[in-house]
Amino acid sequence: MNLAEGVQLVSLAILSLIVIGGGLGVVLLANIVYSAFLLGGVFIGISGLYILLNAGFVAAAQVLIYVGAVNVLILFGIMLVNRRRTFADSPRLWTRRILTGAVCLGLFALLATVALTTPWQISTAAIAEPSQGGIAGDNATVLIGQHFFTDFLLPFELASLLLLIAMVGAIILARREYLPDEPPEQLATELTLAERPREPVLAGQQGQLPAGGN
Amino acid sequence: MQLQYFLLIAAALFGIGIYGLVNSRNAIRVLMSIELMLNAVNLNLVAFSNYLDPQEIKGQVFGVFVITVAAAEAAVGLAIVLAIYRNRDTVDMEQFNLLKW
């Protein structure tokens, strides 16, 4: 990235405002649909921070995976689960909120002290080819690919295995239960997935209509 | 541009994530808070990789792995929330008495 120092500072300020404000909105807003959309904003802001950190590939992966997959998945989850029911108040709610806020502020103070007092060994490598000891810069994608297929080959393959296992597990968990003692001749007549019949909980007003009505 | 700016942003985001993780009543908001915390850690990894190790950017490689694990975690977590919602008819964290002893 070849940007002037001032441009970098201004974009860092804007992106950090987006990220921190969006994060506060995700946690504090009452409506969870707004929280989910703000979460997408936070992900996009973080990908902008990655671009400021010369990590173009990670920024692209962030937008693709987080905004494109995880956030959409969370929105689907909200719309499958949301019933607009207010939760009953639990006792000592404010005590717990104040305590948790104090603990989080203390943790932030601790992390900030560590970040500000540690003498980081900032690298002083010149901009050159990575093979000659220079920084990676825009060649980061090539270097990441080389890492994946040489010294990080086993974690790479394990990650693919983990994704496969997670996909199978999510399908198994989210699927409705199958009743094995159903009469099997129904399966031959109806070409549907064999599942336990369940009363319509979500769409209550549609479930009470007589069959074939309207 | 300083390394410390990014570390401070990541620390703030991590604190917000922990606050939401403890205080949320909705199970899906708990999952969203976990994603915030994972993103904060990822920001730390990429910042260190840019400022301390710019020759072989192993921090970015770890960042990609963290993103992968986070995607798997989100899928399985939402499936678990859906399964609990089918059984208990609520997503209120206070009313779950599963996995308690």
Side-chain angles (χ1 to χ4, degrees):
Chain A
M1 288 282 291
N2 292 318
L3 284 180
E5 195 77 11
V7 178
Q8 290 191 17
L9 269 181
V10 169
S11 36
L12 174 71
I14 293 173
L15 286 173
S16 61
L17 264 183
I18 290 175
V19 168
I20 302 293
L24 282 176
V26 167
V27 170
L28 296 178
L29 277 185
N31 194 340
I32 197 169
V33 182
Y34 294 165
S35 307
F37 281 110
L38 273 180
L39 190 69
V42 173
F43 290 154
I44 289 178
I46 286 181
S47 103
L49 287 176
Y50 289 162
I51 290 176
L52 275 184
L53 287 168
N54 295 314
F57 178 74
V58 187
Q62 167 96 5
V63 172
L64 281 177
I65 295 176
Y66 271 114
V67 184
V70 172
N71 203 12
V72 172
L73 200 63
I74 283 176
L75 271 173
F76 267 100
I78 286 170
M79 289 168 187
L80 282 175
V81 155
N82 198 7
R83 295 189 68 184
R84 296 198 177 278
R85 176 195 294 168
T86 56
F87 300 129
D89 274 343
S90 68
R92 298 197 298 275
L93 191 63
W94 280 102
T95 319
R96 195 170 62 180
R97 277 188 190 159
I98 291 170
L99 263 179
T100 322
V103 168
C104 291
L105 274 182
L107 183 70
F108 172 69
L110 179 72
L111 287 175
T113 316
V114 170
L116 292 179
T117 55
T118 308
W120 303 111
Q121 294 179 335
I122 304 290
S123 170
T124 55
I127 297 175
E129 282 297 310
S131 54
Q132 293 149 15
I135 65 172
D138 289 338
N139 286 325
T141 311
V142 178
L143 267 181
I144 288 173
Q146 284 173 357
H147 277 305
F148 272 159
F149 286 100
T150 54
D151 48 352
F152 286 97
L153 183 61
L154 183 64
F156 183 67
E157 299 296 337
L158 281 181
S160 64
L161 197 63
L162 174 81
L163 278 178
L164 177 69
I165 292 171
M167 187 174 72
V168 174
I171 292 171
I172 295 287
L173 277 174
R175 211 179 142 222
R176 281 182 230 147
E177 290 175 36
Y178 169 59
L179 275 192
D181 51 349
E182 268 186 21
E185 58 265 18
Q186 282 187 356
L187 298 181
T189 56
E190 299 177 16
L191 286 178
T192 54
L193 201 61
E195 283 174 344
R196 181 169 62 185
R198 65 191 279 265
E199 63 273 20
V201 177
L202 283 174
Q205 63 272 26
Q206 292 175 0
Q208 284 153 10
L209 285 178
N214 275 345
Chain B
M1 290 293 273
Q2 298 257 346
L3 170 64
Q4 282 88 355
Y5 297 158
F6 292 98
L7 297 186
L8 284 180
I9 295 171
L13 201 61
F14 194 78
I16 292 170
I18 285 185
Y19 182 84
L21 183 69
V22 176
N23 270 327
S24 298
R25 302 288 300 273
N26 198 327
I28 294 183
R29 203 188 290 260
V30 172
L31 285 179
M32 286 156 56
S33 305
I34 294 175
E35 298 294 332
L36 281 185
M37 289 163 64
L38 283 166
N39 266 293
V41 172
N42 226 346
L43 187 59
N44 259 353
L45 281 174
V46 178
F48 282 135
S49 128
N50 187 38
Y51 283 102
L52 306 186
D53 180 27
Q55 281 108 3
E56 21 176 352
I57 36 173
K58 288 187 177 168
Q60 295 188 23
V61 180
F62 272 88
V64 175
F65 284 137
V66 171
I67 288 176
T68 312
V69 174
E73 172 262 336
V76 176
L78 276 170
I80 289 174
V81 169
L82 274 183
I84 291 178
Y85 179 71
R86 276 205 194 104
N87 281 329
R88 296 298 167 101
D89 211 18
T90 181
V91 285
D92 190 358
M93 292 297 284
E94 302 283 327
Q95 294 183 11
F96 292 165
N97 50 5
L98 304 157
L99 293 179
K100 275 186 180 173
W101 66 89

